[in-house]
Amino acid sequence: MEETAAVLRDRAREWLAHDPDPATRAELIALLDSGDDAALADRFGARLEFGTAGLRGELGAGPNRMNTAVAMRAAAGVADWVGTGAVVAVGYDARHRSADFARATAEVLAGAGCRPVLLPAPLPTPVLAYAVRRLSAAAGVMVTASHNPARDSGYKVFQGTAGDAAPGEVGAQIVPPSDADISAAIDRTPFADELPRGTAVAPAPEGLTADYTAALAALPIGDDRDVRVCYTPL
């Protein structure tokens, strides 16, 4: 038991040495000082697994939480998957830290030689999916945890022109084997503070959200429906 606690503390100290985010560094220092080994085990005894739904977890320090370091390493995995020079659309929702994670994602993509396009504000996930198609992007990244509790964040990857995507898959969430390929690339990624971060982040084209709304409004709904607008927060 004592050896396990020592190993967890060593992992936490190693993470602390490479965490680029002052907020989670301060959080982790306080946790180490508290002697709460159960909390350390929850954060450092496992890690968030990347799958077809991307990443999703509670905000906080450590590999089993959503934070800047995890988002950056995921971005490096996506960059490895799409290749140098690829256009990648990046969006985010209105959750706490989503804009920060999206900006860090775009900077890591730029540092890896990709061409990130960052959406201008918190927007619904379908706008990011539309942007992937509109920009003929290799992939898209959406920082969101959908309907999860407010303490959570997440990271979804959308299929673009990368890989062997069929036309109908472009703009949809990735499916196997793309998830496994990205996961393997993340595993090869160094510590977050060792990743180059670029500044060549392009803004989304003017009128992108208006174009999305117009495209949505133009979809046929059939002759036997009298509802013009339907709103749901889910």
Side-chain angles (χ1 to χ4, degrees):
M1 182 66 177
E2 291 182 1
E3 182 181 4
T4 301
V7 168
L8 291 170
R9 286 181 166 275
D10 285 344
R11 288 179 190 166
R13 292 188 185 99
E14 182 181 51
W15 181 278
L16 181 62
H18 294 282
D19 190 342
D21 191 326
T24 43
R25 284 203 307 270
E27 176 190 330
L28 188 50
I29 289 170
L31 185 59
L32 283 165
D33 290 344
S34 74
D36 190 343
D37 292 333
L40 283 178
D42 188 39
R43 293 164 182 257
F44 291 92
R47 67 181 179 89
L48 297 181
E49 297 289 341
F50 189 94
T52 52
L55 296 166
R56 193 167 296 180
E58 187 176 344
L59 288 164
N64 203 32
R65 293 288 190 271
M66 277 299 301
N67 49 64
T68 302
V70 166
M72 288 175 64
R73 294 186 75 243
V78 172
D80 183 276
W81 179 60
V82 297
T84 302
V87 175
V88 181
V90 181
Y92 57 97
D93 65 12
R95 286 172 176 267
H96 183 54
R97 301 303 308 273
S98 287
D100 297 335
F101 297 165
R103 168 58 65 172
T105 291
E107 290 175 356
V108 170
L109 288 166
C114 295
R115 294 184 289 158
V117 177
L118 185 62
L119 270 58
L123 290 165
T125 298
V127 178
L128 184 278
Y130 174 80
V132 171
R133 298 174 68 95
R134 163 76 182 275
L135 300 170
S136 298
V141 171
M142 183 70 187
V143 180
T144 180
S146 302
H147 57 278
N148 275 38
R151 64 180 180 273
D152 289 0
S153 184
Y155 201 94
K156 294 181 178 180
V157 178
F158 286 75
Q159 179 70 58
T161 57
D164 298 321
E169 295 173 345
V170 175
Q173 278 189 238
I174 56 169
V175 296
S178 296
D179 57 340
D181 293 340
I182 295 172
S183 181
I186 294 172
D187 290 341
R188 297 190 296 268
T189 298
F191 291 111
D193 66 334
E194 298 172 355
L195 295 169
R197 297 172 73 163
T199 58
V201 178
E206 189 78 23
L208 176 70
T209 54
D211 291 347
Y212 164 76
T213 303
L216 196 63
L219 293 173
I221 61 173
D223 298 331
D224 56 349
R225 303 174 68 175
D226 57 7
V227 176
R228 296 185 63 192
V229 177
C230 177
Y231 168 77
T232 171
L234 294 179

